[in-house]
Amino acid sequence: KRWKVASTAPTAGRCRTDWLTLQQRRAEERIQTLRSERDQKEMMECTFCPQVSANSRPPNDADNRSGGISRNEVLYYQAFAAAKESEEAERKIRQLREAEEMKECTFTPKIRRTAPATRKRYPPAKQLKGYAEAVERMRDAARTRREKASQLEFIPVGENYEKLRAQGVKPFAFEATKKLKKKEAFLFVDVNLSGGRKGRIGMHDGDDPRQLAENFGKAYQLDATMVNQLEQLLREQAESSTRQRARPTRTGHARGKGGYAQSSSSGAA
């Protein structure tokens, strides 16, 4: 090894470049040797040996041509012709199959080639009773629905500005309107409840005693029996007050404007 390294090392008479070139050449020769050994081992495993005739020769481009057409073109046209023949065969098979199916169809309708000279005209159908009114109602309902939808979806952009400006400033509606006078009650009924509670019912002309009793029962949580008793009491007091107001006095006028009645109950009320 020392002798090999000393012999391959560059000397004073050799150039560094020549020495690197020599090393590269030796490495390539070693690689080529290894490759040939590997190929020989692989070929030893291949036992197939074909018998090649001594008179055989490599193919020539001139032999592949016939009449100036290359072998590739010949193969292409042959494949194209075969595809055409296959399509034609499939078409004939399809026609035969359809003909066999049509043999089973024995129905032959009579078709008139020309239209008849005169057609029978039937009288117009009679409309049902109320048909026109129903259609008109449906149209009015649809029109009203569209108008309401357009009003809800309308967004003002100052169309009435000039009109409102010409009207001037006006006070608020609740300041301009007069307060409505409340009707005076002609009878007040005081109801004494359990637990020291008291309630008053004012009766006006046109009031329903049943409605007044139910409202009072809901407010004070009375049962149905107490509500019925209260309704009967209100009816009796209303009739009594009506008779008193209708009774003439010495001066010929009706008695006082209002009266009072008191009622007490025990138990739940």
Side-chain angles (χ1 to χ4, degrees):
K1 288 182 181 181
R2 290 180 182 177
W3 180 80
K4 282 186 178 182
V5 172
S7 62
T8 56
T11 58
R14 293 183 180 180
C15 181
R16 178 70 176 175
T17 306
D18 297 338
W19 182 78
L20 293 175
T21 304
L22 180 61
Q23 293 295 328
Q24 180 67 23
R25 189 181 298 110
R26 290 178 179 178
E28 291 177 356
E29 291 176 357
R30 179 63 178 170
I31 293 172
Q32 188 66 25
T33 303
L34 294 175
R35 285 179 179 176
S36 61
E37 291 177 358
R38 184 192 61 185
D39 294 340
Q40 289 177 3
K41 289 181 181 179
E42 291 178 357
M43 291 300 294
M44 289 175 65
E45 298 176 359
C46 298
T47 59
F48 175 71
C49 297
Q51 296 179 359
V52 182
S53 177
N55 299 326
S56 62
R57 59 178 180 175
N60 192 4
D61 293 340
D63 297 336
N64 293 336
R65 295 181 177 273
S66 59
I69 302 176
S70 65
R71 184 64 178 172
N72 297 333
E73 294 177 353
V74 173
L75 294 175
Y76 171 76
Y77 287 120
Q78 288 178 356
F80 184 77
K84 278 283 187 180
E85 292 177 359
S86 177
E87 290 179 2
E88 186 68 19
E90 290 180 0
R91 186 179 62 82
K92 290 182 179 181
I93 293 171
R94 194 181 306 111
Q95 290 178 354
L96 292 174
R97 189 182 295 113
E98 291 177 358
E100 292 293 333
E101 293 177 356
M102 291 299 295
K103 288 181 181 179
E104 299 177 1
C105 300
T106 59
F107 175 70
T108 55
K110 295 181 179 180
I111 301 175
R112 182 176 296 175
R113 299 297 179 182
T114 59
T118 57
R119 294 183 180 180
K120 187 177 180 181
R121 295 188 177 182
Y122 296 94
K126 187 181 294 185
Q127 290 186 356
L128 299 176
K129 186 178 180 180
Y131 173 77
E133 293 79 1
V135 172
E136 191 63 26
R137 284 198 305 269
M138 294 173 66
R139 290 176 179 174
D140 293 340
R143 191 183 308 109
T144 304
R145 188 162 54 249
R146 287 195 299 269
E147 291 176 357
K148 288 183 178 180
S150 62
Q151 291 177 0
L152 292 175
E153 296 175 358
F154 174 73
I155 300 176
V157 291
E159 295 87 351
N160 299 328
Y161 175 73
E162 296 296 336
K163 182 179 178 181
L164 297 175
R165 184 179 180 184
Q167 292 179 359
V169 181
K170 292 183 179 181
F172 296 107
F174 63 85
E175 293 183 356
T177 55
K178 296 181 180 179
K179 294 183 179 180
L180 298 176
K181 292 184 179 180
K182 188 177 181 180
K183 293 181 180 181
E184 294 182 359
F186 67 87
L187 178 65
F188 292 95
V189 180
D190 293 331
V191 182
N192 297 327
L193 304 173
S194 61
R197 296 181 300 166
K198 292 183 179 181
R200 171 173 288 188
I201 302 175
M203 298 190 67
H204 303 78
D205 292 332
D207 288 348
D208 184 14
R210 180 64 184 176
Q211 189 66 31
L212 295 175
E214 290 180 355
N215 294 340
F216 189 85
K218 291 179 182 179
Y220 290 92
Q221 299 178 357
L222 304 181
D223 55 5
T225 304
M226 300 305 299
V227 170
N228 294 332
Q229 294 179 4
L230 182 59
E231 178 188 358
Q232 186 65 26
L233 175 64
L234 292 176
R235 291 187 183 277
E236 293 176 357
Q237 295 295 334
E239 292 175 358
S240 176
S241 178
T242 303
R243 289 194 299 269
Q244 290 180 2
R245 286 188 299 167
R247 186 182 303 171
T249 59
R250 295 180 181 179
T251 57
H253 298 286
R255 197 177 289 269
K257 295 182 179 179
Y260 291 89
Q262 188 172 359
S263 172
S264 60
S265 302
S266 60

